[in-house]
Amino acid sequence: MRAMIVKEFRELRRDRRTLAMLIALPVLLLIVFGFAANFTVGTLGVTITGPNAQAVADQLQATPQTEAEFRIDAVDPTGTDTTARNALRDDVSDLAIVTGAGKPMVYIDGSNLFAAQSAKIAVARMGPAVDSEVLYNPDLKTSWVMVPAIIGLILTFIGGIITSIGLVKEREAGTLEQLAVMPFSPAEVIAGKIAPYFLLAAIDMIAVTLLGIWIFGVPFNGNVLIFALGAAVFLFVVLGLGAFISTISTTTGQAIQAALMVMLPQVLLSGMIFPLDAMAAGVRWIGYLLPLTYFTKISQGVMLRGAELNTMWVPIAVLIVMAVIIFGAAVFRLKRSIAPAGKAVVRSAE
């Protein structure tokens, strides 16, 4: 038994990835997620329109807030009710106030669940001085906000974990070296590996989206083509990430470990569970580096708010950049993996 224990410690010492997961990962997760675990949104963005917009903005800034602070995003004295609604649809602000001859009208963006809950508390403190209405999620149903994000989470797990073991199986079976003598470039190998998974993941995405609409009653208010474009680019990112993981792993166990290390932060730091606005600044920037963050913005924006392409192009563009970088990194790593074998085969043939 002592010999067995010594052997296991020696194997752990050699397997630095597993050792890092056992020692460093728990500490890192505690620190990062400890700062991220916050459901309270402390700052609410406000757009104010109408003839009395400036007076209301000055009053909001002068009034001390106990629940959440108001951040004035825009003051438009010439704006109308449509201007205020568009500000919420385009995700410019969390609240929009329309001023006029009567009582001000406060619109609340219900697609941002935690900010909407804080906004309702703040508006309730104003009493009968204002009227209010929650848009895009009138009953503040959690399922309406979670289902669009869960669609991306499911695609992340399916695309990332399954694809990550693709090339590893080739390496474990000893057939990876054969790719070096075949008339395929590394880019073609990666594309060929992820193409079947892309098709299957696309079918899963359609099925999950339809089930979410049917079972939970989640609305789909936007353009299907914008949603499909964002989902397609997001799939390329997660599949490319899985392919990259497979190029840096030598065994299936290592690939699954690496995939889980990449997937776990996306669950907690993408804004799906904890709102990004409530996170500490350093942890929030980690969330901005995760692809699920941007797909969640796209899915919630299109499905709940009916957002147009002119407001969704930024997250789509970020995902495109991520896809290019990750796919290029996977091709580069695969080229390095099979290049030595290819040179050896050429020398032996000569």
PDB file of all heavy atoms in Angstrom, residues 190-207:
ATOM      1  N   ILE A 190      -9.082  20.761 -39.107  1.00  0.00           N
ATOM      2  CA  ILE A 190      -9.917  21.332 -38.049  1.00  0.00           C
ATOM      3  C   ILE A 190     -11.342  21.540 -38.556  1.00  0.00           C
ATOM      4  O   ILE A 190     -12.324  21.207 -37.868  1.00  0.00           O
ATOM      5  CB  ILE A 190      -9.328  22.666 -37.554  1.00  0.00           C
ATOM      6  CG1 ILE A 190      -7.945  22.441 -36.905  1.00  0.00           C
ATOM      7  CG2 ILE A 190     -10.270  23.336 -36.570  1.00  0.00           C
ATOM      8  CD1 ILE A 190      -7.987  21.650 -35.634  1.00  0.00           C
ATOM      9  N   ALA A 191     -11.476  22.092 -39.771  1.00  0.00           N
ATOM     10  CA  ALA A 191     -12.807  22.331 -40.320  1.00  0.00           C
ATOM     11  C   ALA A 191     -13.567  21.016 -40.498  1.00  0.00           C
ATOM     12  O   ALA A 191     -14.765  20.933 -40.223  1.00  0.00           O
ATOM     13  CB  ALA A 191     -12.703  23.071 -41.651  1.00  0.00           C
ATOM     14  N   GLY A 192     -12.867  19.983 -40.973  1.00  0.00           N
ATOM     15  CA  GLY A 192     -13.515  18.691 -41.134  1.00  0.00           C
ATOM     16  C   GLY A 192     -13.923  18.069 -39.821  1.00  0.00           C
ATOM     17  O   GLY A 192     -14.944  17.371 -39.742  1.00  0.00           O
ATOM     18  N   LYS A 193     -13.147  18.333 -38.774  1.00  0.00           N
ATOM     19  CA  LYS A 193     -13.476  17.783 -37.461  1.00  0.00           C
ATOM     20  C   LYS A 193     -14.710  18.452 -36.853  1.00  0.00           C
ATOM     21  O   LYS A 193     -15.531  17.792 -36.203  1.00  0.00           O
ATOM     22  CB  LYS A 193     -12.279  17.953 -36.511  1.00  0.00           C
ATOM     23  CG  LYS A 193     -11.148  16.972 -36.767  1.00  0.00           C
ATOM     24  CD  LYS A 193     -11.562  15.569 -36.383  1.00  0.00           C
ATOM     25  CE  LYS A 193     -10.434  14.583 -36.568  1.00  0.00           C
ATOM     26  NZ  LYS A 193     -10.869  13.199 -36.244  1.00  0.00           N
ATOM     27  N   ILE A 194     -14.846  19.778 -37.020  1.00  0.00           N
ATOM     28  CA  ILE A 194     -15.923  20.482 -36.349  1.00  0.00           C
ATOM     29  C   ILE A 194     -17.199  20.546 -37.186  1.00  0.00           C
ATOM     30  O   ILE A 194     -18.268  20.869 -36.655  1.00  0.00           O
ATOM     31  CB  ILE A 194     -15.504  21.917 -35.952  1.00  0.00           C
ATOM     32  CG1 ILE A 194     -15.316  22.799 -37.188  1.00  0.00           C
ATOM     33  CG2 ILE A 194     -14.261  21.886 -35.092  1.00  0.00           C
ATOM     34  CD1 ILE A 194     -15.028  24.251 -36.856  1.00  0.00           C
ATOM     35  N   ALA A 195     -17.117  20.247 -38.498  1.00  0.00           N
ATOM     36  CA  ALA A 195     -18.304  20.355 -39.362  1.00  0.00           C
ATOM     37  C   ALA A 195     -19.464  19.468 -38.895  1.00  0.00           C
ATOM     38  O   ALA A 195     -20.604  19.949 -38.788  1.00  0.00           O
ATOM     39  CB  ALA A 195     -17.934  20.051 -40.811  1.00  0.00           C
ATOM     40  N   PRO A 196     -19.230  18.177 -38.601  1.00  0.00           N
ATOM     41  CA  PRO A 196     -20.369  17.360 -38.128  1.00  0.00           C
ATOM     42  C   PRO A 196     -20.948  17.865 -36.806  1.00  0.00           C
ATOM     43  O   PRO A 196     -22.172  17.866 -36.617  1.00  0.00           O
ATOM     44  CB  PRO A 196     -19.751  15.958 -37.965  1.00  0.00           C
ATOM     45  CG  PRO A 196     -18.530  15.977 -38.804  1.00  0.00           C
ATOM     46  CD  PRO A 196     -18.016  17.365 -38.732  1.00  0.00           C
ATOM     47  N   TYR A 197     -20.062  18.304 -35.898  1.00  0.00           N
ATOM     48  CA  TYR A 197     -20.543  18.807 -34.614  1.00  0.00           C
ATOM     49  C   TYR A 197     -21.319  20.109 -34.791  1.00  0.00           C
ATOM     50  O   TYR A 197     -22.255  20.390 -34.041  1.00  0.00           O
ATOM     51  CB  TYR A 197     -19.374  19.008 -33.657  1.00  0.00           C
ATOM     52  CG  TYR A 197     -18.599  17.758 -33.375  1.00  0.00           C
ATOM     53  CD1 TYR A 197     -17.280  17.612 -33.787  1.00  0.00           C
ATOM     54  CD2 TYR A 197     -19.180  16.687 -32.703  1.00  0.00           C
ATOM     55  CE1 TYR A 197     -16.565  16.458 -33.530  1.00  0.00           C
ATOM     56  CE2 TYR A 197     -18.476  15.529 -32.443  1.00  0.00           C
ATOM     57  CZ  TYR A 197     -17.169  15.417 -32.862  1.00  0.00           C
ATOM     58  OH  TYR A 197     -16.469  14.267 -32.614  1.00  0.00           O
ATOM     59  N   PHE A 198     -20.913  20.915 -35.778  1.00  0.00           N
ATOM     60  CA  PHE A 198     -21.641  22.156 -36.048  1.00  0.00           C
ATOM     61  C   PHE A 198     -23.067  21.848 -36.483  1.00  0.00           C
ATOM     62  O   PHE A 198     -24.023  22.493 -36.018  1.00  0.00           O
ATOM     63  CB  PHE A 198     -20.922  22.960 -37.133  1.00  0.00           C
ATOM     64  CG  PHE A 198     -21.581  24.267 -37.457  1.00  0.00           C
ATOM     65  CD1 PHE A 198     -21.287  25.412 -36.733  1.00  0.00           C
ATOM     66  CD2 PHE A 198     -22.508  24.357 -38.492  1.00  0.00           C
ATOM     67  CE1 PHE A 198     -21.909  26.620 -37.017  1.00  0.00           C
ATOM     68  CE2 PHE A 198     -23.134  25.553 -38.790  1.00  0.00           C
ATOM     69  CZ  PHE A 198     -22.836  26.692 -38.057  1.00  0.00           C
ATOM     70  N   LEU A 199     -23.223  20.865 -37.357  1.00  0.00           N
ATOM     71  CA  LEU A 199     -24.555  20.497 -37.822  1.00  0.00           C
ATOM     72  C   LEU A 199     -25.417  19.964 -36.681  1.00  0.00           C
ATOM     73  O   LEU A 199     -26.582  20.368 -36.508  1.00  0.00           O
ATOM     74  CB  LEU A 199     -24.444  19.455 -38.936  1.00  0.00           C
ATOM     75  CG  LEU A 199     -25.773  18.925 -39.506  1.00  0.00           C
ATOM     76  CD1 LEU A 199     -26.578  20.066 -40.116  1.00  0.00           C
ATOM     77  CD2 LEU A 199     -25.503  17.839 -40.538  1.00  0.00           C
ATOM     78  N   LEU A 200     -24.844  19.066 -35.879  1.00  0.00           N
ATOM     79  CA  LEU A 200     -25.606  18.495 -34.761  1.00  0.00           C
ATOM     80  C   LEU A 200     -25.941  19.557 -33.712  1.00  0.00           C
ATOM     81  O   LEU A 200     -27.051  19.579 -33.166  1.00  0.00           O
ATOM     82  CB  LEU A 200     -24.813  17.358 -34.119  1.00  0.00           C
ATOM     83  CG  LEU A 200     -24.599  16.118 -35.000  1.00  0.00           C
ATOM     84  CD1 LEU A 200     -23.698  15.122 -34.297  1.00  0.00           C
ATOM     85  CD2 LEU A 200     -25.928  15.477 -35.355  1.00  0.00           C
ATOM     86  N   ALA A 201     -24.973  20.448 -33.425  1.00  0.00           N
ATOM     87  CA  ALA A 201     -25.228  21.503 -32.442  1.00  0.00           C
ATOM     88  C   ALA A 201     -26.290  22.477 -32.949  1.00  0.00           C
ATOM     89  O   ALA A 201     -27.085  22.994 -32.161  1.00  0.00           O
ATOM     90  CB  ALA A 201     -23.931  22.247 -32.116  1.00  0.00           C
ATOM     91  N   ALA A 202     -26.304  22.738 -34.256  1.00  0.00           N
ATOM     92  CA  ALA A 202     -27.328  23.618 -34.821  1.00  0.00           C
ATOM     93  C   ALA A 202     -28.720  23.000 -34.654  1.00  0.00           C
ATOM     94  O   ALA A 202     -29.693  23.698 -34.326  1.00  0.00           O
ATOM     95  CB  ALA A 202     -27.041  23.883 -36.297  1.00  0.00           C
ATOM     96  N   ILE A 203     -28.817  21.686 -34.867  1.00  0.00           N
ATOM     97  CA  ILE A 203     -30.100  21.001 -34.655  1.00  0.00           C
ATOM     98  C   ILE A 203     -30.507  21.085 -33.186  1.00  0.00           C
ATOM     99  O   ILE A 203     -31.674  21.325 -32.855  1.00  0.00           O
ATOM    100  CB  ILE A 203     -30.001  19.540 -35.130  1.00  0.00           C
ATOM    101  CG1 ILE A 203     -29.760  19.488 -36.643  1.00  0.00           C
ATOM    102  CG2 ILE A 203     -31.260  18.769 -34.768  1.00  0.00           C
ATOM    103  CD1 ILE A 203     -29.507  18.095 -37.178  1.00  0.00           C
ATOM    104  N   ASP A 204     -29.542  20.880 -32.292  1.00  0.00           N
ATOM    105  CA  ASP A 204     -29.828  20.996 -30.855  1.00  0.00           C
ATOM    106  C   ASP A 204     -30.308  22.403 -30.504  1.00  0.00           C
ATOM    107  O   ASP A 204     -31.235  22.569 -29.697  1.00  0.00           O
ATOM    108  CB  ASP A 204     -28.587  20.657 -30.037  1.00  0.00           C
ATOM    109  CG  ASP A 204     -28.290  19.165 -30.026  1.00  0.00           C
ATOM    110  OD1 ASP A 204     -29.239  18.383 -30.245  1.00  0.00           O
ATOM    111  OD2 ASP A 204     -27.127  18.790 -29.815  1.00  0.00           O
ATOM    112  N   MET A 205     -29.670  23.411 -31.110  1.00  0.00           N
ATOM    113  CA  MET A 205     -30.048  24.792 -30.813  1.00  0.00           C
ATOM    114  C   MET A 205     -31.494  25.057 -31.229  1.00  0.00           C
ATOM    115  O   MET A 205     -32.273  25.662 -30.480  1.00  0.00           O
ATOM    116  CB  MET A 205     -29.113  25.750 -31.542  1.00  0.00           C
ATOM    117  CG  MET A 205     -29.428  27.220 -31.295  1.00  0.00           C
ATOM    118  SD  MET A 205     -28.851  28.280 -32.622  1.00  0.00           S
ATOM    119  CE  MET A 205     -29.934  27.774 -33.960  1.00  0.00           C
ATOM    120  N   ILE A 206     -31.864  24.598 -32.414  1.00  0.00           N
ATOM    121  CA  ILE A 206     -33.237  24.798 -32.888  1.00  0.00           C
ATOM    122  C   ILE A 206     -34.222  24.085 -31.959  1.00  0.00           C
ATOM    123  O   ILE A 206     -35.264  24.643 -31.575  1.00  0.00           O
ATOM    124  CB  ILE A 206     -33.382  24.292 -34.333  1.00  0.00           C
ATOM    125  CG1 ILE A 206     -32.503  25.124 -35.276  1.00  0.00           C
ATOM    126  CG2 ILE A 206     -34.837  24.347 -34.781  1.00  0.00           C
ATOM    127  CD1 ILE A 206     -32.447  24.600 -36.693  1.00  0.00           C
ATOM    128  N   ALA A 207     -33.888  22.834 -31.594  1.00  0.00           N
ATOM    129  CA  ALA A 207     -34.786  22.059 -30.729  1.00  0.00           C
ATOM    130  C   ALA A 207     -34.941  22.710 -29.365  1.00  0.00           C
ATOM    131  O   ALA A 207     -36.064  22.851 -28.841  1.00  0.00           O
ATOM    132  CB  ALA A 207     -34.260  20.631 -30.581  1.00  0.00           C
TER     133      ALA A 207
END
